[in-house]
Amino acid sequence: MLISIITPTSNSEITIASCIKSVKKQSFKDYEHIFIDNLSDDKTIKIIKKFSKLNSNIYTEKDNGIFDAMNTGVKKAKGEYLLFLNSDDEIINSNFLLNISKLLKKNKYDIIYSNIIYKKNILGIKRKYISEKFNKNYGWHIPHPGSVIKKKFFKSKKSFSRKYKISGDFDFFIKAQLDKKLNIYY
């Protein structure tokens, strides 16, 4: 089972190496790492080429925001499942993809999601986002960097909307919540 990891980049030279290294540490190796770069004019591409030699593809083109880049990544993806990992995100558990693959072999979930930890911000604050059990009755959403989504399901919801510059993922998960056939696992 191939998992496609999609990482949009735009002048990400400070964070991209840590992102790539976290993916390379995965014990599960049946993945591809797709980078959609928004014409970076720093060392982003050079760093990607240095650290990500196997299982990766780099596409450089002008995009219309992060969700446009993610949708482009989906079009390029060969995997049955998608993980959207931002250029400043890291997978902290080296067995994350292995654990996900075991769950998916038992049951063909549309979405599997987990908690995430935010890095320290400019004020030095580090926080944890506890996703909790999925509840269709109130308006929270799943953090996209902590979720693996079946590609076929993702496409059935018409991908991420580009009209929401910072909340295309929120819009997607609202549409997912409305699907009565949604098979989801926390």
Side-chain angles (χ1 to χ4, degrees):
M1 158 193 344
L2 183 66
I3 297 175
S4 296
I5 302 167
I6 298 167
T7 300
T9 61
S10 183
N11 293 329
S12 304
E13 71 180 1
I14 294 171
T15 58
I16 194 64
S18 295
C19 173
I20 295 167
K21 288 176 185 178
S22 78
V23 171
K24 288 175 70 172
K25 287 181 184 176
Q26 291 299 298
S27 57
F28 180 84
K29 300 296 183 191
D30 195 12
Y31 68 83
E32 65 174 344
H33 200 167
I34 300 168
F35 300 91
I36 307 296
D37 182 71
N38 185 25
L39 304 177
S40 291
D41 57 11
D42 64 359
K43 296 177 184 170
T44 300
I45 298 299
K46 185 177 180 180
I47 294 168
I48 293 170
K49 288 179 180 178
K50 177 182 178 182
F51 288 103
S52 187
K53 297 188 187 334
L54 299 174
N55 305 346
S56 68
N57 291 300
I58 306 166
Y59 302 94
T60 303
E61 58 189 51
K62 180 71 180 144
D63 63 51
N64 291 313
I66 191 168
F67 298 111
D68 183 39
M70 290 178 177
N71 290 338
T72 298
V74 172
K75 290 175 187 168
K76 309 280 187 191
K78 296 176 186 152
E80 183 181 356
Y81 289 91
L82 309 168
L83 168 62
F84 298 98
L85 190 67
N86 300 328
S87 62
D88 60 347
D89 292 338
E90 298 171 28
I91 303 172
I92 57 174
N93 181 331
S94 62
N95 290 318
F96 178 74
L97 294 179
L98 178 64
N99 294 336
I100 294 293
S101 70
K102 287 178 183 178
L103 288 169
L104 291 171
K105 285 178 183 172
K106 290 180 185 177
N107 194 338
K108 296 292 182 185
Y109 293 108
D110 298 313
I111 300 172
I112 294 179
Y113 66 102
S114 64
N115 302 328
I116 62 172
I117 298 172
Y118 292 98
K119 293 180 184 178
K120 288 182 181 178
N121 64 16
I122 196 166
L123 301 173
I125 298 170
K126 182 178 178 180
R127 61 191 176 107
K128 188 174 187 177
Y129 184 98
I130 307 293
S131 297
E132 299 181 6
K133 189 174 181 196
F134 187 70
N135 185 337
K136 295 181 181 184
N137 297 320
Y138 62 95
W140 68 276
H141 81 90
I142 297 165
H144 74 257
S147 64
V148 174
I149 305 166
K150 189 177 208 171
K151 183 178 177 182
K152 188 175 180 180
F153 179 82
F154 182 81
K155 287 181 153 188
S156 77
K157 300 299 165 220
K158 308 295 185 243
S159 306
F160 290 126
S161 174
R162 293 183 336 184
K163 73 179 178 180
Y164 304 111
K165 293 289 182 199
I166 61 170
S167 59
D169 53 347
F170 183 72
D171 174 68
F172 169 79
F173 287 115
I174 293 289
K175 291 185 278 189
Q177 288 179 45
L178 298 173
D179 189 327
K180 294 184 186 332
K181 295 179 183 177
L182 174 65
N183 190 5
I184 191 164
Y185 184 83
Y186 169 55

